[in-house]
């Protein structure tokens, strides 16, 4: 992100050493509400101020999530090939509508997620974690981003969504492309194609999964609505959850004496750590977008024109708020102070946030139980991020540890179909995992 022109550029091809430094420079030049270039020739605004982000997210009179109000898009200035087009296109999803229709769709999502018990989520996550850890634990080294954090959420979603065969791998690759803005039009089409296949299959053979529960929900969703709600949930459960796992692991690696304990850290200790990370290094960057129905005056005589996209910089808002108010986000107060905006704010706050944090907590604890002494393979200051309009993605998280034996087949609880052991030794890698390891 650079600002050599009146608009700060929100896309960058080269890895960046300090994402928050980029935000700090934008704020220093433009103030907390920044005029930005979302893509070449496509302009909007970025809210990096905590109080403003919360206020505007709650103001459903002035602002809407309905992207049909985006004037540049309506005038044909945002083509279907634009990196952010598939993530902002008008659709029948809870994130893109307001009022009664939003409440109808959101209720279907929360009811479907609510049917997943904490025990099942923990069991499925543990099984997926063991499957992945068995793949690298004997080596004594691993890239915990590519080999663990990014691989685990698709394995969990494969089970919870009722996906079969290679659907989970295809969908995970497509969602990653959407968040990164890589070939976004094709990624968006592929994600919807996979989910349409899932919905068609669940009409023929319903099961105990999110897709089946949405199909039979009393809100009477159309198939297109089911696909869109699944896409919303999976978008939050895949790449953002991977980013949160990565952030928590980086926090663990920065303070090994606290976290390298026999049997792994307690769930309560990890809960507190996750909350601190959600304040200081949250997983969602600049999403979703609001669209003002009327012109919104700012300082310095500036005006946000009606129909201009306003991206919510949740990570920046959290980061700068806690830096400027350390006494309100102190280590000892985190459990009581969960007012962060890591998952958004207002009526559109992410409905899958509890599931994402639960998956993260289980994944990190299981890793530390299996690998009791991981240490960074490179200094933290040498880590790099790739910045895109909607998100940033770490390049890698290499670690070293004392080599461990793979887990016994009976040690892991039941989990996703097709990932169970078949005979003695370590569980074989599933077809989904083999596909995931073929990096796009």
């Amino acid at each position: 992100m650079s600002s050599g022109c009146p608009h700060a550029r929100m896309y960058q091809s080269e890895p960046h050493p300090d994402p928050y430094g980029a935000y700090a420079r934008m704020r220093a030049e433009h103030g907390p509400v920044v005029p930005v270039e979302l893509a070449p020739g496509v302009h909007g605004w970025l809210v990096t101020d905590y109080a403003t982000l919360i206020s505007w997210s709650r103001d459903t009179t002035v602002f809407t999530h309905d992207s049909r109000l985006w004037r540049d898009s309506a005038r044909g200035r945002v083509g279907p090939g634009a990196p952010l087009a598939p993530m902002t296109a008008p659709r029948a999803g809870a994130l893109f509508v307001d009022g009664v229709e939003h409440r109808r769709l959101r209720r279907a999502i929360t009811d479907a997620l609510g049917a997943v018990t904490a025990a099942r989520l923990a069991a499925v996550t543990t099984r997926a974690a063991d499957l992945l850890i068995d793949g690298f634990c004997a080596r004594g080294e691993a890239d915990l981003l590519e080999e663990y954090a990014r691989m685990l959420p698709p394995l969990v979603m494969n089970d919870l969504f009722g996906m079969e065969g290679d659907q989970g791998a295809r969908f995970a690759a497509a969602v990653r492309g959407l968040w990164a803005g890589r070939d976004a039009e094709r990624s968006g089409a592929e994600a919807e194609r996979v989910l349409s296949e899932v919905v068609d299959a669940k009409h023929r053979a319903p099961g105990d999964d999110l897709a089946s529960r949405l199909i039979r929900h009393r809100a009477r969703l159309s198939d297109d609505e089911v696909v869109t709600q699944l896409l919303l949930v999976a978008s939050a459960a895949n790449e953002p959850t991977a980013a949160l796992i990565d952030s928590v692991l980086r926090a663990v690696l920065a303070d090994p004496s606290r976290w390298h304990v026999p049997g792994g850290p307690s769930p309560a200790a990890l809960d507190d750590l996750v909350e601190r990370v959600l304040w200081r290094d949250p997983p969602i960057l600049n999403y979703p977008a609001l669209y003002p129905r009327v012109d919104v005056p700012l300082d310095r005589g500036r005006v946000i024109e009606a129909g201009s996209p306003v991206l919510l910089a949740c990570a920046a808002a959290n980061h700068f708020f806690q830096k400027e108010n350390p006494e309100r986000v102190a280590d000892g107060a985190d459990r009581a102070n969960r007012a962060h905006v890591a998952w958004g704010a207002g009526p559109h706050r992410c409905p899958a946030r509890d599931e994402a944090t639960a998956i993260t907590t289980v994944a990190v604890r299981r890793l530390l139980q299996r690998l009791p002494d991981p240490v960074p393979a490179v200094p933290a200051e040498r880590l790099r991020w790739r910045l895109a309009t909607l998100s940033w993605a770490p390049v890698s998280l290499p670690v070293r540890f004392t080599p461990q034996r793979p887990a016994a087949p009976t040690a892991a609880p039941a989990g996703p179909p097709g990932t169970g052991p078949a005979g003695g030794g370590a569980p074989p890698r599933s077809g989904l995992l083999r596909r995931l390891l073929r990096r796009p």
Side-chain angles (χ1 to χ4, degrees):
M1 302 176 190
S2 62
S3 53
C5 64
H7 293 81
R9 183 159 57 87
M10 294 292 294
Y11 49 92
Q12 183 168 317
S13 58
E14 295 300 320
H16 196 282
D18 180 15
Y20 290 112
Y23 280 125
R25 289 191 294 274
M26 286 194 293
R27 285 166 60 98
E29 182 170 351
H30 298 283
V33 181
V34 183
V36 292
E37 186 175 42
L38 305 174
V42 180
H43 296 155
W45 297 81
L46 184 74
V47 181
T48 67
D49 178 69
Y50 175 86
T52 302
L53 187 151
I54 292 176
S55 174
W56 289 5
S57 295
R58 292 174 176 172
D59 188 346
T60 57
T61 300
V62 172
F63 296 95
T64 177
H65 286 72
D66 187 347
S67 60
R68 290 175 298 181
L69 270 67
W70 187 358
R71 292 195 306 181
D72 282 351
S73 181
R75 293 171 180 174
R77 296 176 182 170
V78 185
L84 67 166
M87 296 288 279
T88 55
R91 61 183 74 214
L95 187 59
F96 304 98
V97 295
D98 298 293
V100 173
E101 189 65 359
H102 168 256
R103 290 190 291 273
R104 178 180 77 91
L105 297 174
R106 186 180 178 92
R107 171 54 60 187
I109 293 174
T110 55
D111 287 348
L113 288 171
V116 180
T117 66
R120 180 183 176 189
L121 188 60
V124 172
T125 303
T126 301
R127 180 51 179 247
D130 279 334
L131 183 69
L132 293 167
I133 295 167
D134 280 345
F136 55 73
C137 63
R139 295 204 318 256
E141 61 181 14
D143 179 348
L144 291 184
L145 176 63
E146 290 293 341
E147 296 184 83
Y148 192 67
R150 280 206 173 116
M151 298 298 162
L152 189 142
L155 287 171
V156 176
M157 291 300 104
N158 194 57
D159 178 84
L160 299 184
F161 276 49
M163 293 181 177
E164 298 178 353
D166 68 349
Q167 290 172 334
R170 290 165 53 203
F171 185 74
V175 168
R176 189 183 304 183
L178 283 173
W179 279 104
R182 292 195 309 263
D183 201 357
E185 184 178 10
R186 188 174 69 177
S187 294
E190 173 67 359
E192 294 193 14
R193 184 159 43 246
V194 172
L195 293 177
S196 293
E197 293 172 7
V198 173
V199 171
D200 288 344
K202 297 308 171 183
H203 275 298
R204 296 190 300 270
D208 181 21
D209 52 69
L210 265 68
S212 298
R213 287 193 287 273
L214 286 174
I215 289 170
R216 61 176 179 257
H217 193 271
R218 64 182 182 274
R220 303 179 67 86
L221 274 61
S222 68
D223 282 0
D224 284 346
E225 288 176 332
V226 172
V227 167
T228 303
Q229 308 333 301
L230 288 173
L231 181 59
L232 292 177
V233 173
S235 294
N238 273 290
E239 197 65 15
T241 304
L244 181 57
I245 294 171
D246 173 82
S247 294
V248 174
L249 287 173
R250 283 189 284 111
V252 166
L253 294 170
D255 189 9
S257 62
R258 179 175 181 182
W259 300 107
H260 293 177
V261 296
S266 70
L270 276 179
D271 284 345
D272 286 345
L273 176 62
V274 170
E275 290 304 318
R276 288 198 297 276
V277 169
L278 286 170
W279 263 114
R280 298 171 184 179
D281 195 10
I284 296 179
L285 190 61
N286 307 317
Y287 196 70
L290 301 175
Y291 305 88
R293 294 185 170 96
V294 297
D295 290 354
V296 177
L298 298 174
D299 57 358
R300 311 181 191 181
R302 302 178 301 169
V303 174
I304 300 178
E305 295 182 341
S308 299
V310 179
L311 295 181
L312 303 179
C314 299
N318 266 6
H319 180 84
F320 291 112
F321 180 85
Q322 66 87 21
K323 282 194 68 175
E324 295 161 1
N325 301 273
E327 73 287 350
R328 297 180 61 181
V329 194
D331 284 357
D334 280 353
R335 179 172 285 277
N337 184 356
R338 299 190 174 184
H340 56 70
V341 293
W343 303 111
H348 286 80
R349 193 180 183 203
C350 177
R353 60 190 181 274
D354 291 340
E355 288 73 18
T357 53
I359 291 170
T360 297
T361 301
V362 172
V364 173
R365 186 165 191 261
R366 188 58 178 164
L367 182 82
L368 295 176
Q369 288 174 330
R370 296 281 309 275
L371 307 178
D373 59 353
V375 296
V378 299
E381 60 269 19
R382 287 177 54 192
L383 296 177
R384 294 293 183 268
W385 283 258
R386 289 190 178 93
L387 305 186
T389 302
L390 301 179
S391 68
W392 66 51
V395 174
S396 64
L397 185 60
V399 299
R400 294 189 301 268
F401 48 85
T402 302
Q404 305 290 321
R405 296 184 61 184
T410 56
T419 61
R429 294 198 166 190
S430 67
L432 170 61
L433 182 54
R434 287 194 297 271
R435 287 290 303 274
L436 285 170
L437 288 171
R438 300 174 193 167
R439 300 178 188 175

